[in-house]
Amino acid sequence: MHQKEDGWVRTLEISPPDLQNNTADADRLIDTLKSRLDIRRLDLTIDLELLRQLPFLMREWGYRVRCILLKDRAHWVLTGLLPVDDKRSPAGVAIDLGTSRVVLRLVDLTSGNVLAEDAFDNPQIEIGPDILTRIHYADDHKGLERLQQLICDGINQHLAQLCRSCSRVPTDIYLITVAGNTTMTHLLLGLSPSRMIREPYIPVVNRPGLIPSAELGLQASPHARVFVFPNIGSYFGGDLIAGILYAGVHRSDNTALLVDVGTNAEVVLGNKQWLIACAGAAGPALESSVTRMGMMAGPGVIDRVRFERTIGEFDLHTIADRPPCGICGSGLIDLAAELFLSGMIDMRGRFRPQTCSDRLIDVGGIPNLVIVPADLSATGKPLTISQVDLDSLIRSKAAMYTILETITATVGIGLKDIATFFVAGTFGTFIQPASAIGIGMLPDLPLQTYKVLGNTSLGGAALLLTSNRLMEEIDQIRNRITYLELNINQDFMNRFSAARFLPHTDRARFPSVRPLASG
Amino acid sequence: MHQKEDGWVRTLEISPPDLQNNTADADRLIDTLKSRLDIRRLDLTIDLELLRQLPFLMREWGYRVRCILLKDRAHWVLTGLLPVDDKRSPAGVAIDLGTSRVVLRLVDLTSGNVLAEDAFDNPQIEIGPDILTRIHYADDHKGLERLQQLICDGINQHLAQLCRSCSRVPTDIYLITVAGNTTMTHLLLGLSPSRMIREPYIPVVNRPGLIPSAELGLQASPHARVFVFPNIGSYFGGDLIAGILYAGVHRSDNTALLVDVGTNAEVVLGNKQWLIACAGAAGPALESSVTRMGMMAGPGVIDRVRFERTIGEFDLHTIADRPPCGICGSGLIDLAAELFLSGMIDMRGRFRPQTCSDRLIDVGGIPNLVIVPADLSATGKPLTISQVDLDSLIRSKAAMYTILETITATVGIGLKDIATFFVAGTFGTFIQPASAIGIGMLPDLPLQTYKVLGNTSLGGAALLLTSNRLMEEIDQIRNRITYLELNINQDFMNRFSAARFLPHTDRARFPSVRPLASG
């Protein structure tokens, strides 16, 4: 099989020793690697246990060995030795370590092929669904240990299942790449996140580097290493660095923008010359405020909405085509856009009773619009959206638009100058840019400008399993990013106020959005 | 206390975090170190357990910390954190890991002061006194484990005693430097030495680098590292690299020679431009063949001999001034020189019955010279030297001289061109150059040319505890040495034959040696 020169797996033909070449076994391996890589000085760590086996394995295999060689900066680590004719190829696993959801992707380290994928709810949810509760729980040493144990156990359990699903075993795994927000990666490493929520918001470490998986209690090959994507600070995690790597913003000739909508809206703007990033609380309305209706994407959750104006009915799509039980972020954006375009809400987001007619009901003094009547809902109760939900969504979309406007203005360009607009995040997997434009959440750019990438955090972590050169790119990304602290100043507030209309006070910015003129 | 910029201990004043500098704790420590060292890129490993404590310790100590920072090539390791006002200074231990004897020296890592020293017999002697027996014993996996356990237990036990002797504890130790021959260091690391005695004589590793002491089972601070001096091959160990470092041959303007006499005679010739080394079996006669008389330096062992010609009596010095029980190498060389200079042996090393008179006795047909009569000896038996002992000594001294002649001839210089002649080895501690010249073992150079250094292996290992810059020098020494394989060809044999006379066939080479012309 052809081996990429930047892959983690290499077949080395080591010169057998003779009286003219009686360098030690380990050093002949290093010399072979040196000439292969054409570097003069090679700093290679071989764990003692592996070093002890080395002379026996080299001879047993006739001096032809497959090495799993990790690299971090100028420092190499030998994590595994295999015979060249072994059927079982070494594997790596990429982990998107989310606050709510953890996604694992098992990858063949030699070919880069995806072997299997699995996701599970972050077991730390039993301590608290939100980050803040977990951070407070971790203030106590025992609490931190428990959170670390929970996530490690969860990963071990699902990793074992994942391996079984494709006839592998965890000891086939030599590299684990983890992308997550700064709190989640701290909890995985057992590092106290306490100072990240208190001024001046300090993580324990920005760049954890390669860590023996055994030290974390993760089950893998005995010498496997865990690479945790570096963060930039408490509010800018390795998940976004992985996202930039995956989207390739840092290699782009034209200016690109990447937005990852989760609990926060994290935005990166840049190209191969510069990168600027900021984060803001734009997402709560999208991901957790509207809890009443259920937010997590799952069976029965409404993820796409159309309003058939001709028959005056909603055309709803639910995940797995099950009876509707709630609505997720992308469904909510679709819904709001359709309500606005069909004239059921006005440009301030208020229900228009004359258009909504009998769909509009009063619940405790608050107007609610029935989306799914009780008899069609999975819960036996009508699914509704209230004026409060809408107001919250509009605040969120206004915040998002304001952040986008602010970050572009900061570097002296307009939103129209964005050549590629990457939408990321689990939420971003389902978002329809046209709907987001319809409510003025995203700018009115040609639809082909938008690239919906899905889980870029997982994508970046998995990409790293295919090339060691990306280690350097990750550092370059991290070093090149200017982090923009969003100051909630008069400019910001003015922009925010103007963005609280549908799609915007300045209608000229959204020429493609044409709501029905209704009475 | 003034801290050397190349020391292992540094007091760092880390900037406290604020909103303008909210880099992570670990990264602020690294940044401080970077600006202190004035290097742009710093690859620093902080073991996970230490990283977990870092934020608490930094704050508890007001951002002023004493760091124990090891360095190997471009790679740094943080092994310890201490408050600046802690009375207890971090320590290091240097180990001369000999086949027979192990010497420990405890050093204050901050000041470089020696705290205590101890030595003990290598407990592997219970398996076999010589290297070969131990290597065969290690052919079996369990045997290797046992040998590793024996030496580690021995070191742990004596290290604990050593610490107690100066009110320290082993957890004060952050760096352990070990110099030993290639077999001894392999056994310490649990690496199989089996291939080192079989063509083409391959060690497992030449440069083991920094190894966590916990992985070896050595008791020290939890994050301490062990540095094993690199070897050049099976027959040229880290003990000699340490010796070169200590003697400073590699920094010498003029050409210097270092000879370490143990079981082998190991010779290094060179200066700051080049280094050439060889090893040969010159020593057995000195260190183990003459076992009958006892060789190990210890109480009662004769280490210096003079023959008072005026009264015709031996003037013997014994270690600790105890009744004589044997003779060690330096005593034997003195004795042979005195016997030759006083005319009791001829230039072929044969006893002259007319000069020896009634001191000469016959034991089973072999002439023996009584050195100590039975009534003055500690054993109650006369201490004698036989013709066989003398023949063996002469072979050894001839081999030594031939090696010295060969190595200098190889680089096209004469023995007279040696500006400094370092004599090393436990044996070398007591050797009197004048006596060694007297029998033609060492060349007839001005006495001030000779520098008797004692245990240079321990000296080099201890020196490394005082400066991290020496890590680089060690690699330079290793990379610069040309290893000369001694070919036992006609030239060598001719030289050897000529050197089997006292002091030499060519008397003109030893003008200072003037034996009594006796009948």
Side-chain angles (χ1 to χ4, degrees):
Chain A
M1 186 184 300
H2 173 71
Q3 285 178 18
K4 291 169 60 186
E5 270 313 297
D6 60 342
W8 301 103
V9 184
R10 280 157 209 275
T11 297
L12 296 182
E13 307 240 2
I14 300 162
S15 318
D18 57 43
L19 284 169
Q20 273 61 54
N21 177 10
N22 57 3
T23 305
D25 287 330
D27 299 74
R28 263 175 310 114
L29 185 151
I30 292 172
D31 286 344
T32 308
L33 193 60
K34 268 183 190 169
S35 72
R36 177 78 163 272
L37 300 169
D38 197 23
I39 48 179
R40 257 189 73 224
R41 233 178 169 183
L42 182 70
D43 196 0
L44 176 75
T45 293
I46 305 177
D47 290 348
L48 192 56
E49 270 307 324
L50 203 52
L51 187 61
R52 285 173 180 163
Q53 298 163 28
L54 183 69
F56 301 96
L57 298 179
M58 271 168 73
R59 280 162 187 80
E60 191 182 329
W61 300 333
Y63 302 97
R64 297 187 68 223
V65 294
R66 265 198 303 181
C67 300
I68 297 97
L69 285 156
L70 308 187
K71 189 197 167 191
D72 189 20
R73 291 181 173 163
H75 189 216
W76 293 71
V77 181
L78 180 70
T79 61
L81 284 170
L82 291 170
V84 286
D85 51 2
D86 198 6
K87 295 264 175 353
R88 184 173 278 166
S89 183
V93 66
I95 303 181
D96 168 38
L97 188 63
T99 307
S100 319
R101 200 83 181 139
V102 180
V103 193
L104 308 175
R105 183 181 288 172
L106 195 67
V107 172
D108 181 306
L109 273 187
T110 315
S111 65
N113 293 339
V114 176
L115 298 172
E117 199 170 309
D118 191 17
F120 61 99
D121 286 345
N122 189 326
Q124 294 170 342
I125 291 173
E126 84 169 59
I127 306 299
D130 61 307
I131 286 190
L132 217 57
T133 311
R134 295 184 214 171
I135 293 180
H136 285 302
Y137 188 80
D139 278 346
D140 172 64
H141 178 66
K142 284 214 181 314
L144 175 58
E145 265 185 8
R146 169 119 178 86
L147 284 162
Q148 206 264 340
Q149 193 72 52
L150 278 170
I151 184 62
C152 281
D153 288 352
I155 291 173
N156 282 336
Q157 185 192 331
H158 288 86
L159 208 48
Q161 281 174 20
L162 197 63
C163 288
R164 268 198 300 278
S165 76
C166 54
S167 309
R168 301 275 175 154
V169 286
T171 48
D172 290 342
I173 296 167
Y174 293 88
L175 176 58
I176 300 172
T177 54
V178 181
N181 65 53
T182 310
T183 303
M184 288 309 115
T185 54
H186 270 55
L187 292 179
L188 174 70
L189 298 175
L191 301 172
S192 166
S194 298
R195 288 155 217 90
M196 289 174 26
I197 49 163
R198 296 172 176 108
E199 230 186 69
Y201 315 111
I202 305 295
V204 176
V205 66
N206 290 136
R207 191 187 185 286
L210 289 173
I211 294 168
S213 58
E215 280 186 28
L216 294 184
L218 289 181
Q219 280 153 23
S221 164
H223 309 283
R225 296 293 199 276
V226 177
F227 177 79
V228 175
F229 273 73
N231 61 69
I232 293 192
S234 298
Y235 294 113
F236 197 99
D239 47 355
L240 198 52
I241 303 273
I244 296 167
L245 182 75
Y246 183 69
V249 181
H250 63 299
R251 277 191 255 112
S252 170
D253 288 321
N254 299 314
T255 301
L257 190 142
L258 170 69
V259 58
D260 191 319
V261 186
T263 309
N264 279 326
E266 288 157 336
V267 179
V268 178
L269 180 70
N271 52 43
K272 64 183 178 188
Q273 257 126 21
W274 50 267
L275 292 168
I276 184 166
C278 68
L286 298 176
E287 207 170 11
S288 60
S289 291
V290 196
T291 45
R292 191 175 54 86
M293 295 182 79
M295 280 304 310
M296 301 282 210
V301 170
I302 300 165
D303 61 349
R304 285 206 302 276
V305 178
R306 261 181 59 80
F307 185 69
E308 290 292 342
R309 293 175 203 173
T310 48
I311 54 168
E313 292 289 341
F314 286 109
D315 176 11
L316 306 173
H317 179 264
T318 62
I319 294 173
D321 286 319
R322 300 273 288 278
C325 61
I327 191 165
C328 70
S330 61
L332 194 60
I333 291 168
D334 275 4
L335 176 62
E338 291 292 89
L339 293 178
F340 175 57
L341 293 175
S342 62
M344 284 193 274
I345 54 176
D346 64 18
M347 67 179 297
R348 289 171 305 151
R350 302 276 150 180
F351 289 118
R352 282 186 165 138
Q354 62 274 48
T355 321
C356 297
S357 66
D358 58 355
R359 289 183 184 276
L360 205 59
I361 57 174
D362 181 284
V363 180
I366 294 165
N368 274 250
L369 189 79
V370 177
I371 311 299
V372 181
D375 57 337
L376 294 177
S377 131
T379 60
K381 291 179 189 164
L383 292 181
T384 66
I385 182 168
S386 73
Q387 190 62 58
V388 176
D389 298 332
L390 272 180
D391 292 350
S392 168
L393 174 65
I394 287 171
R395 275 197 306 279
S396 288
K397 81 94 187 170
M400 170 65 87
Y401 188 82
T402 307
I403 290 171
L404 297 175
E405 212 186 335
T406 304
I407 193 168
T408 45
T410 302
V411 294
I413 64 170
L415 287 166
K416 298 249 175 286
D417 299 319
I418 297 167
T420 313
F421 197 117
F422 297 107
V423 182
T426 315
F427 161 76
T429 316
F430 305 103
I431 203 170
Q432 302 211 64
S435 297
I437 294 169
I439 59 167
M441 181 180 184
L442 297 181
D444 195 1
L445 301 173
L447 283 182
Q448 66 270 25
T449 309
Y450 288 96
K451 309 269 184 240
V452 177
L453 295 181
N455 190 337
T456 54
S457 169
L458 182 67
L463 196 63
L464 180 58
L465 295 175
T466 67
S467 166
N468 65 35
R469 295 212 179 114
L470 300 179
M471 291 293 265
E472 192 145 340
E473 285 193 32
I474 289 166
D475 278 339
Q476 284 167 359
I477 291 169
R478 211 189 147 260
N479 294 334
R480 232 201 283 159
I481 286 184
T482 308
Y483 188 69
L484 175 68
E485 206 69 63
L486 282 180
N487 293 314
I488 311 302
N489 55 18
Q490 198 55 49
D491 266 359
F492 190 92
M493 289 315 295
N494 289 345
R495 285 186 187 124
F496 182 66
S497 302
R500 284 182 71 172
F501 290 80
L502 295 175
H504 196 272
T505 318
D506 180 6
R507 291 292 301 264
R509 295 186 184 204
F510 288 85
S512 81
V513 181
R514 296 185 200 91
L516 275 185
S518 54
Chain B
M1 184 184 302
H2 174 70
Q3 285 177 18
K4 291 169 57 186
E5 270 313 296
D6 60 341
W8 301 103
V9 184
R10 281 155 207 277
T11 297
L12 296 182
E13 307 239 1
I14 300 163
S15 320
D18 57 41
L19 283 170
Q20 272 61 54
N21 178 11
N22 57 5
T23 304
D25 287 330
D27 299 74
R28 262 175 311 114
L29 184 150
I30 292 173
D31 286 345
T32 308
L33 193 60
K34 267 184 194 171
S35 72
R36 177 78 163 272
L37 300 170
D38 197 22
I39 48 178
R40 259 188 71 221
R41 233 180 167 179
L42 183 69
D43 195 0
L44 176 75
T45 293
I46 305 176
D47 291 347
L48 192 57
E49 269 308 324
L50 202 52
L51 187 62
R52 285 173 179 161
Q53 299 163 29
L54 183 68
F56 301 96
L57 298 178
M58 271 168 73
R59 280 163 186 80
E60 190 182 330
W61 300 334
Y63 302 98
R64 295 187 69 224
V65 293
R66 263 199 304 180
C67 300
I68 296 97
L69 284 157
L70 308 187
K71 188 195 167 195
D72 187 22
R73 294 184 172 163
H75 190 215
W76 292 71
V77 181
L78 180 70
T79 61
L81 285 171
L82 292 169
V84 287
D85 51 2
D86 197 5
K87 296 265 178 348
R88 183 172 280 167
S89 182
V93 66
I95 302 181
D96 168 37
L97 187 63
T99 306
S100 320
R101 203 81 180 141
V102 180
V103 194
L104 307 175
R105 182 181 290 171
L106 195 67
V107 172
D108 181 307
L109 273 187
T110 314
S111 66
N113 293 340
V114 175
L115 299 171
E117 199 170 308
D118 191 17
F120 61 98
D121 287 343
N122 189 325
Q124 293 171 343
I125 291 172
E126 87 170 55
I127 304 299
D130 59 309
I131 286 191
L132 216 57
T133 310
R134 294 184 214 170
I135 293 181
H136 285 301
Y137 189 79
D139 278 346
D140 171 66
H141 178 67
K142 285 214 177 320
L144 175 58
E145 266 185 6
R146 170 119 180 86
L147 285 162
Q148 206 264 341
Q149 192 72 49
L150 278 170
I151 185 63
C152 280
D153 288 353
I155 292 172
N156 282 336
Q157 185 193 331
H158 288 87
L159 207 49
Q161 282 175 21
L162 197 64
C163 288
R164 268 198 300 278
S165 76
C166 54
S167 307
R168 300 276 174 152
V169 284
T171 48
D172 290 343
I173 296 168
Y174 293 88
L175 176 59
I176 300 173
T177 55
V178 181
N181 65 52
T182 309
T183 302
M184 288 308 116
T185 54
H186 270 56
L187 292 179
L188 175 70
L189 298 175
L191 301 173
S192 166
S194 298
R195 287 157 219 87
M196 287 171 31
I197 49 163
R198 298 174 175 108
E199 230 188 64
Y201 317 111
I202 305 296
V204 176
V205 68
N206 292 134
R207 190 186 185 288
L210 290 173
I211 294 168
S213 59
E215 280 185 28
L216 293 185
L218 290 180
Q219 280 153 24
S221 164
H223 308 283
R225 294 294 199 277
V226 177
F227 178 79
V228 174
F229 273 73
N231 60 69
I232 293 192
S234 298
Y235 293 112
F236 197 100
D239 47 354
L240 198 52
I241 303 273
I244 297 168
L245 182 75
Y246 184 69
V249 181
H250 63 300
R251 278 191 253 110
S252 170
D253 287 322
N254 300 315
T255 301
L257 190 141
L258 169 70
V259 58
D260 190 320
V261 186
T263 309
N264 279 326
E266 288 157 336
V267 179
V268 177
L269 180 70
N271 52 43
K272 64 182 177 187
Q273 258 127 16
W274 51 267
L275 291 169
I276 183 164
C278 67
L286 298 176
E287 205 169 12
S288 59
S289 292
V290 197
T291 46
R292 192 176 53 86
M293 296 181 77
M295 280 306 309
M296 302 279 210
V301 169
I302 300 164
D303 62 348
R304 285 205 303 274
V305 178
R306 261 182 58 82
F307 185 71
E308 291 291 344
R309 295 176 202 174
T310 47
I311 55 167
E313 291 288 341
F314 286 109
D315 175 12
L316 306 173
H317 178 265
T318 62
I319 295 173
D321 287 319
R322 299 274 288 280
C325 61
I327 190 164
C328 69
S330 60
L332 194 60
I333 291 169
D334 275 6
L335 176 63
E338 291 294 89
L339 293 179
F340 176 58
L341 293 174
S342 62
M344 284 194 274
I345 55 176
D346 64 17
M347 66 178 296
R348 288 171 307 155
R350 303 275 148 181
F351 289 118
R352 282 187 165 136
Q354 63 274 48
T355 323
C356 297
S357 66
D358 58 356
R359 288 182 184 276
L360 205 59
I361 58 173
D362 180 285
V363 181
I366 295 165
N368 273 250
L369 190 80
V370 177
I371 311 301
V372 181
D375 58 338
L376 294 178
S377 131
T379 60
K381 292 179 188 161
L383 291 181
T384 66
I385 181 167
S386 73
Q387 190 60 59
V388 176
D389 298 333
L390 271 180
D391 292 349
S392 169
L393 174 65
I394 288 171
R395 274 197 305 279
S396 288
K397 81 95 188 170
M400 170 67 88
Y401 187 81
T402 307
I403 291 171
L404 297 175
E405 212 187 338
T406 303
I407 194 168
T408 44
T410 302
V411 294
I413 65 170
L415 287 165
K416 299 248 174 285
D417 299 317
I418 298 168
T420 315
F421 197 116
F422 298 107
V423 182
T426 314
F427 161 77
T429 315
F430 307 102
I431 204 169
Q432 303 212 64
S435 296
I437 294 169
I439 59 167
M441 183 179 182
L442 297 181
D444 195 2
L445 302 172
L447 283 182
Q448 66 270 24
T449 309
Y450 288 94
K451 309 271 182 239
V452 177
L453 295 181
N455 191 339
T456 54
S457 169
L458 182 68
L463 197 63
L464 180 58
L465 295 175
T466 67
S467 165
N468 65 35
R469 293 211 181 115
L470 300 180
M471 289 294 263
E472 193 145 341
E473 285 193 32
I474 290 166
D475 278 339
Q476 283 166 1
I477 291 170
R478 211 191 146 257
N479 294 332
R480 231 201 285 157
I481 286 185
T482 306
Y483 187 69
L484 176 67
E485 205 69 60
L486 281 180
N487 293 313
I488 311 302
N489 55 19
Q490 198 55 49
D491 265 3
F492 189 93
M493 288 315 296
N494 290 344
R495 285 184 186 124
F496 182 66
S497 302
R500 284 181 71 170
F501 289 80
L502 296 176
H504 196 273
T505 318
D506 179 7
R507 292 290 302 264
R509 295 187 184 203
F510 289 85
S512 81
V513 181
R514 296 187 201 91
L516 276 185
S518 56

